């Protein structure tokens, strides 16, 4: 069974993470959760509530890290998923995560990103010239790093598939999994 990385940290958005986690299993892939260190991470639910101008956040489920960033051998994985929430803002500076991220872009393996997940490949200097969807408040992060913001539920730019928020899960996860399946089938 081919393995696919899911990048998280504390305050990763729960629906951004759990939906692709289980969809990968359904498609015959093994999701492997990676984070700064091997421990349990707190996922959150977040959205802008009526009358609020900023995001409100609640604790969700927890999720175990399978492999810390420093131990990831990226060549062993078929693809990668950058989840959203507040975590990307904090974990994007990790040198091992930058190395991992650059590998997937440089080797053209299937990549998916949602919401604040864009902050990781942006920091790793891999969004330049790439079309991506992201949550509107991360448009600046994408564009200042040379990316092109597209306000659609699914944006496909080569091996990169992206959505804006968890509300787009049903639009962009399927095409990303199709890319993973096509890559797997081409090896058979």
């Amino acid at each position: 069974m081919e393995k696919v990385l899911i990048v998280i940290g504390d305050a990763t958005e729960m629906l951004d993470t759990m939906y692709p986690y289980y969809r990968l299993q359904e498609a015959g892939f093994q999701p492997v959760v990676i984070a700064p260190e091997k421990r349990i991470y707190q996922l959150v639910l977040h959205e802008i509530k009526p009358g609020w101008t900023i995001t409100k956040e609640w604790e969700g489920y927890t999720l175990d890290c399978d492999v810390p960033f420093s131990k990831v051998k990226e060549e062993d994985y078929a693809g990668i998923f950058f989840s959203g929430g507040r975590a990307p803002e904090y974990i994007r500076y990790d040198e091992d995560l930058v190395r991992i991220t650059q590998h997937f872009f440089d080797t053209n393996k299937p990549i998916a990103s949602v919401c604040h997940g864009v902050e990781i490949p942006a920091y790793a200097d891999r969004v330049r010239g790439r079309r991506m969807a992201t949550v509107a408040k991360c448009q600046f992060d994408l564009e200042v790093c040379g990316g092109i913001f597209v306000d659609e539920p699914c944006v496909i730019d080569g091996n990169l598939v992206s959505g804006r928020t968890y509300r787009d899960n049903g639009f962009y996860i399927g095409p990303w999994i199709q890319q993973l399946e096509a890559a797997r089938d081409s090896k058979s």
Side-chain angles (χ1 to χ4, degrees), residues 75-182:
E75 61 277 359
D76 294 343
Y77 298 91
I80 193 167
F81 177 78
F82 298 104
S83 195
R86 286 185 296 122
E89 179 182 347
Y90 299 95
I91 63 177
R92 64 182 162 182
Y93 305 110
D94 185 286
E95 292 177 12
D96 291 306
L97 180 56
V98 170
R99 167 186 51 82
I100 294 161
T101 300
Q102 290 173 342
H103 167 84
F104 284 90
F105 278 86
D106 297 350
T107 58
N108 208 37
K109 292 180 181 178
I111 299 165
S113 177
V114 66
C115 197
H116 288 72
V118 69
E119 293 173 323
I120 298 167
Y123 182 76
D125 194 26
R126 291 303 185 268
V127 298
R128 199 169 305 280
R130 303 297 295 264
R131 297 174 67 249
M132 290 185 76
T134 183
V135 66
K137 62 180 137 185
C138 288
Q139 179 177 350
F140 174 80
D141 300 85
L142 174 61
E143 291 178 344
V144 77
C145 292
I148 302 159
F149 174 72
V150 181
D151 187 12
E152 294 177 6
C154 177
V155 176
I156 301 171
D157 185 340
N159 65 318
L160 175 60
V161 181
S162 56
R164 298 168 297 193
T165 71
Y166 67 85
R167 289 180 172 91
D168 295 338
N169 282 346
F171 298 97
Y172 78 94
I173 294 295
W176 174 60
I177 288 177
Q178 288 172 353
Q179 286 191 2
L180 288 164
E181 290 170 334

Side-chain angles (χ1 to χ4, degrees), residues 42-53:
Q42 180 65 58
L43 305 182
V44 299
L45 299 126
H46 69 268
E47 65 180 341
I48 298 176
K49 300 295 272 182
W52 284 61
T53 57

Side-chain angles (χ1 to χ4, degrees), residues 6-13 17 33-37 39-44 61 63 65 69 83-88 90-91 97 120:
I6 295 181
V7 180
I8 71 163
D10 280 320
T12 294
E13 214 293 325
T17 307
V33 176
I34 64 171
E37 58 187 293
R39 64 174 175 83
I40 296 173
Y41 286 83
Q42 180 65 58
L43 305 182
V44 299
Y61 295 118
L63 190 59
C65 169
F69 296 152
S83 195
R86 286 185 296 122
Y90 299 95
I91 63 177
L97 180 56
I120 298 167

